[in-house]
Amino acid sequence: MKNFPEIIPVFPLSGVIYFPKTNLPLNIFEQRYLNLVSDTYKNNKLMGMVQSQKSAHSVYKVGCLGKISDFQKSNDGRILINLTGITRFKILEEVENKKLYREFKVDYKNFGIDLKDASVDQDTQDLMDWREYEKLMEKAKIFFKKNGLLLNWREFEKLDENQKISTLSMISPITNEEKQKLLESLTLNDKIETLSSIISFYLHEVNFNNQTVQ
């Protein structure tokens, strides 16, 4: 496994998850996070994203390490960045500092699968449950249509299987807890099964209450 820093600056953000090998654009305007991004960009360009929880100051234990791949300053003082996801991490403890932003000691050992060169290598393709994958794609199209969400499916089809599942996980209108469960799913099949169950639940609720699912 590559050597990543064991202490990283972390941006807690409610309702936002992202995965390795995906991109996350961020519009930074709050001073503590302006400091975080500026310091990170001057250092190794590596920062963590993690979901904040409802209780004050609490965050989930699993997030994603990203590298700043684009950095622009606007005339009004904001910073616009793009984060490219590298690997998930588990938070071990918070590190005290005198900075405006938070830093955590993290561990990457459970997420070696994130560092494979290909998003879905041949071994993964051989093990992937293609039947469940195809079912999920069909359910996702119904789910997005029922929620009035537009997705450029033609461009979506250009992504590899892992990127498709991660993209659906990131943009689906589901709860923070459900998003976190997807982030913590270790394998691609785990993620397919979890997302499929979540979408099925919502479609069942629509069917039960409104009788609209065909």
Side-chain angles (χ1 to χ4, degrees), residues 123-174:
D123 288 340
T124 304
Q125 286 188 350
D126 291 341
L127 293 172
M128 186 170 145
D129 192 332
W130 288 96
R131 185 176 179 181
E132 291 304 314
Y133 169 79
E134 294 297 338
K135 286 181 181 178
L136 172 59
M137 290 298 109
E138 290 303 314
K139 283 192 281 190
K141 290 178 181 178
I142 297 171
F143 182 52
F144 273 61
K145 184 177 181 180
K146 295 297 182 184
N147 281 277
L149 299 173
L150 298 178
L151 180 62
N152 188 330
W153 293 101
R154 183 175 297 179
E155 290 299 315
F156 180 79
E157 289 301 325
K158 295 178 182 179
L159 303 175
D160 64 45
E161 287 77 13
N162 205 342
Q163 290 174 321
K164 287 178 183 177
I165 304 301
S166 294
T167 298
L168 292 175
S169 299
M170 291 168 66
I171 66 177
S172 289
I174 57 180

Side-chain angles (χ1 to χ4, degrees), residues 11 26-34 76-80:
F11 188 164
L26 290 170
N27 180 2
I28 311 296
F29 54 87
E30 193 174 342
Q31 188 59 53
R32 55 181 166 171
Y33 299 126
L34 290 171
D76 57 6
R78 292 175 296 123
I79 295 178
L80 308 176

Side-chain angles (χ1 to χ4, degrees), residues 171-185:
I171 66 177
S172 289
I174 57 180
T175 68
N176 293 1
E177 291 78 11
E178 289 165 335
K179 288 184 178 182
Q180 190 65 28
K181 190 174 181 180
L182 287 163
L183 182 64
E184 296 180 16
S185 299

Side-chain angles (χ1 to χ4, degrees), residues 20-145:
K21 303 180 179 70
T22 65
N23 292 299
L24 180 67
L26 290 170
N27 180 2
I28 311 296
F29 54 87
E30 193 174 342
Q31 188 59 53
R32 55 181 166 171
Y33 299 126
L34 290 171
N35 290 6
L36 185 158
V37 169
S38 294
D39 290 349
T40 296
Y41 194 70
K42 293 173 186 175
N43 186 15
N44 54 19
K45 298 183 174 63
L46 298 175
M47 59 180 279
M49 291 291 299
V50 68
Q51 280 205 102
S52 55
Q53 298 196 56
K54 293 178 182 178
S55 56
H57 216 59
S58 295
V59 296
Y60 285 96
K61 293 299 183 183
V62 174
C64 185
L65 181 74
K67 185 170 186 177
I68 298 176
S69 54
D70 188 48
F71 179 98
Q72 298 179 31
K73 287 187 175 180
S74 64
N75 293 331
D76 57 6
R78 292 175 296 123
I79 295 178
L80 308 176
I81 66 170
N82 184 73
L83 274 184
T84 299
I86 300 174
T87 180
R88 289 167 290 176
F89 59 80
K90 180 180 180 180
I91 288 177
L92 301 178
E93 61 183 2
E94 185 161 4
V95 177
E96 290 188 15
N97 63 34
K98 295 182 180 180
K99 303 169 185 175
L100 293 178
Y101 56 86
R102 302 169 72 182
E103 293 178 302
F104 293 86
K105 184 176 181 180
V106 300
D107 183 88
Y108 309 94
K109 66 182 180 182
N110 292 334
F111 305 107
I113 192 173
D114 295 343
L115 301 175
K116 291 188 176 182
D117 291 336
S119 296
V120 179
D121 61 18
Q122 188 60 51
D123 288 340
T124 304
Q125 286 188 350
D126 291 341
L127 293 172
M128 186 170 145
D129 192 332
W130 288 96
R131 185 176 179 181
E132 291 304 314
Y133 169 79
E134 294 297 338
K135 286 181 181 178
L136 172 59
M137 290 298 109
E138 290 303 314
K139 283 192 281 190
K141 290 178 181 178
I142 297 171
F143 182 52
F144 273 61
K145 184 177 181 180

